[in-house]
Amino acid sequence: RETYQIQENEFLTFDALRQSSQCVGRVIRSKTDYGLMVFADKRYHRRDKRNKLPKWITQYLYEENMNLSTDRATTAARNFLKSMAQPRNRHDDVGHTMLNEQQVK
């Protein structure tokens, strides 16, 4: 077994975070999708672990939503899903989404 000068714990961390990223990617499949992924393991609160996640995930990990109690996490999830379920005004969205004007109509 070759190790390629990589410590076993570093490889295992990388592999676990790669799999986590793939799971998030399965929730969000297109530009118009939204979803909720809960990183419940306390190790995700550690910056050295979190920094190994891709930027398209970490840009949405807000400090105020980390290390929450179950009640607070449930409330945050409920508020997020309620806000995403609201009808959108296409004029408000033009220029603020990844969609062009034709796709918003």
Side-chain angles (χ1 to χ4, degrees):
R1 177 173 116 175
E2 295 182 46
T3 62
Y4 297 100
Q5 299 178 358
I6 300 172
Q7 294 180 354
E8 185 176 8
N9 66 334
E10 283 296 313
F11 172 77
L12 294 173
T13 297
F14 168 80
D15 194 46
L17 293 170
R18 179 185 56 80
Q19 290 181 36
S20 297
S21 301
Q22 287 178 335
C23 288
V24 173
R26 289 185 182 102
V27 172
I28 302 170
R29 302 300 291 174
S30 76
K31 293 177 183 180
T32 58
D33 289 347
Y34 64 91
L36 186 71
M37 192 76 181
V38 178
F39 292 97
D41 192 300
K42 67 182 178 182
R43 289 172 285 193
Y44 288 107
H45 190 61
R46 293 179 45 189
R47 190 171 305 279
D48 65 316
K49 304 292 185 206
R50 213 171 46 244
N51 286 344
K52 293 179 179 167
L53 289 167
K55 184 177 166 84
W56 64 269
I57 294 175
T58 58
Q59 67 183 337
Y60 298 107
L61 296 178
Y62 305 116
E63 197 67 38
E64 65 269 12
N65 289 332
M66 293 184 195
N67 204 21
L68 299 177
S69 67
T70 304
D71 290 340
R72 289 190 61 203
T74 303
T75 299
R78 184 182 309 117
N79 291 340
F80 168 76
L81 293 171
K82 277 184 183 178
S83 73
M84 295 304 292
Q86 299 304 311
R88 308 289 299 192
N89 179 334
R90 71 179 185 155
H91 296 291
D92 292 341
D93 286 345
V94 173
H96 296 284
T97 69
M98 298 168 98
L99 305 174
N100 63 35
E101 188 171 358
Q102 294 294 26
Q103 293 169 316
V104 172
K105 289 182 179 179

